[in-house]
Amino acid sequence: MIYKIKNICCIGAGYVGGPTMAVIADKCPHLNVEVVDLNEERIKKWNSKDLNKLPVYEPGLAEIIQKCRNTNLNFSSLVEEKIKNADMVFISVNTPTKKKGLGAGKASDLKWVEACARQVARFSEGHTIVVEKSTLPVRTAEVIKSILKTAERSQLSCKTFDILSNPEFLAEGTAINDLINPDRVLIGGEKQEAIDSLAAIYSEWVPKNKILETNIWSSELAKLTANAFLAQRISSINSISALCEATGADVREVARAIGSDNRIGSKFLDSGPGFGGSCFKKDILNLVYLSEYFGLPEVASFWEAVVNLNKWHQHRISKLIVKKLFGTVSGKKISILGFAFKSNTNDTRESAAITICKDLLEEGAILNICDPKVEAYQIEQDLGIKNNEKNKISLKEGEWSFHQNIYDATVGTDAVIVLTEWTEYRKINWKKVSKIMRNPAWVFDARSITNKKEIKKEGINFWRIGDGLS
Ligand code: NAD
Ligand code: UGA
């Protein structure tokens, strides 16, 4: 038996809720999908006529929104009403690291998840399947369950619930493709009918052998573990990049050599400025907290090292830049190419660019920052310093300004630092740039996407990540 699902409500219209529900609505025209969020500003952007104003930039997303919005996909702040009508509620809210109190700095702050559980307990009617889509610490379902059970008991049983864990594995920048062609869909739960009801939705477009069923705790832990393994690969290759620079080896060659071993595999071996994004750091710290909580300090310190290496690596790059620029960047102009934590997204959360820019500004550098998708106000928030828009030409030490155009951003600068692998940065006209920069000019390519030969030919000094011979 499966439950008849007609109305879906997703609480949280963020980077996961928005794209995930858009794909479900597109693939399942028989379902009515309602995405709700307390943030009215965000909802307004999801409903914006101008698709360039959607709050999340993802290739392919705008087309689906255009097709499904106001047919079987709606965005609103009508939390109460949409929960009431829903047969299935996805919880897709933020779960950041706790800032204070017990577990501060490591444990996930579950206050938004708990608030959702309480909203569902209060407003739902009849039978509701509650799906954890947010990334959560192991055994969070227990918390949700106890809140919902109280509602079941106190309402003379007119409300009943099932709880499932269905973590999301999409990566930003490729979210739509990841959702349409997932490596797997994971469903953890206790009751087969509930699991089958959710599996029936995914099986509209995902092959059955890719829909994995586990117990609820394995599902929660598998999500944290997947992110920890991915982040660990990046810290591993970044640690080797430092060794390559010290020894004359080349991290790209090392990565190719080890990646050809199919037990290791070639993916996620690009050395860069350090991993960013809202999840890797937070999820590993959560794993560290859980390990400590369960009395496993060795396990905790093993995983904590992945985050520590990442932090060290980002500062290593800032220090190296200062060193190469004759030991001081005070009053020097530097172009920053890319502020998003990776290409094809407007997300800057935990971006390596934040750390590196802050380090350089603290050293007194003047930054001309470029990014094709990140807006200046976001950079202001991340750096905690206002964009000096009016006075672009006569900026003072420790100030920055935003530039749309790469070539405007390189006028009179001593160095160009590539921090995000945007396609347009692969095609820069270095001949043109060499004429407008101040000499001796430097390019620091933390993403290995520029052409070393071409840049050197123009008389520009060149450094790139993990290249012992650059
Ligand atoms: P986000 O911050 O972009 O969006 C969360 C949204 O939830 C916000 O708009 C917020 O206003 C809303 N919200 C919070 N509490 C609410 C409530 N009680 N009622 C209504 N709305 C509420 O977060 P995100 O990046 O979409 O991540 C959501 C979850 O998914 C996190 O647990 C994250 O770890 C996980 N995840 C994220 C990604 C990713 O690529 N960003 C990928 C996989 C999993
Ligand atoms: C990551 C995971 O890949 C997703 O499976 C997961 O669902 C998601 O986290 C999540 O839980 O939030 P995301 O952070 O969006 O996705 O992007 P990734 O492609 O994993 O990149 C993360 C960071 O690692 C970026 O800063 C990226 O530039 C960096 N990276 C990635 C490298 O430096 N080298 C690589 O080879 C790959």
Side-chain angles (χ1 to χ4, degrees), residues 38 113 174 251-252 256 260 317 337 415 437:
L38 295 175
V113 172
T174 52
V251 75
R252 284 148 295 274
R256 185 154 51 95
S260 314
I317 294 176
L337 300 191
M437 287 181 77

Side-chain angles (χ1 to χ4, degrees), residues 304-417:
E304 197 163 19
V306 172
V307 174
N308 291 343
L309 191 289
N310 194 52
K311 208 188 309 165
W312 169 81
H313 181 71
Q314 294 177 355
H315 291 304
R316 177 178 90 81
I317 294 176
S318 329
K319 281 188 196 146
L320 173 154
I321 293 168
V322 175
K323 227 164 145 189
K324 298 249 187 225
L325 295 178
F326 307 121
T328 177
V329 290
S330 183
K332 289 182 183 163
K333 280 194 187 171
I334 295 177
S335 322
I336 302 291
L337 300 191
F339 204 82
F341 80 96
K342 62 186 283 196
S343 62
N344 288 322
T345 178
N346 59 344
D347 196 347
T348 62
R349 290 177 289 179
E350 299 293 336
S351 177
I354 301 174
T355 309
I356 293 171
C357 289
K358 275 188 174 170
D359 283 350
L360 296 174
L361 289 167
E362 212 159 283
E363 291 274 348
I366 295 165
L367 303 183
N368 291 354
I369 305 180
C370 261
D371 191 285
K373 289 291 171 200
V374 178
E375 293 182 38
Y377 86 88
Q378 183 60 52
I379 303 175
E380 279 183 355
Q381 302 224 311
D382 292 332
L383 296 179
I385 303 173
K386 279 218 154 303
N387 167 26
N388 201 336
E389 181 61 35
K390 287 192 192 118
N391 226 350
K392 276 187 183 171
I393 308 158
S394 48
L395 295 184
K396 296 194 197 73
E397 289 177 13
E399 291 191 326
W400 70 277
S401 64
F402 186 72
H403 296 253
Q404 290 290 354
N405 183 293
I406 302 167
Y407 301 100
D408 290 346
T410 47
V411 175
T413 58
D414 288 9
V416 169
I417 309 176

Side-chain angles (χ1 to χ4, degrees), residues 27-45:
K27 297 291 180 187
C28 307
H30 60 286
L31 295 176
N32 182 44
V33 181
E34 301 285 342
V35 188
V36 295
D37 203 297
L38 295 175
N39 182 339
E40 291 184 6
E41 201 48 46
R42 208 166 204 185
I43 290 296
K44 223 197 252 159
K45 289 186 178 171

Side-chain angles (χ1 to χ4, degrees), residues 14-16 37 42 94-95 112 119 135 168 172 282 349:
Y15 283 86
V16 169
D37 203 297
R42 208 166 204 185
N94 35 323
T95 50
W112 291 273
Q119 284 166 320
T135 303
E168 185 47 62
E172 289 179 30
K282 129 179 122 59
R349 290 177 289 179

Side-chain angles (χ1 to χ4, degrees), residues 169-170 172 223 227 234 268 270 276 279-280 341-342 447:
F169 295 99
L170 68 80
E172 289 179 30
K223 171 63 195 175
N227 274 0
I234 302 169
F268 255 70
D270 291 331
C279 295
F280 279 176
F341 80 96
K342 62 186 283 196
R447 291 286 186 174

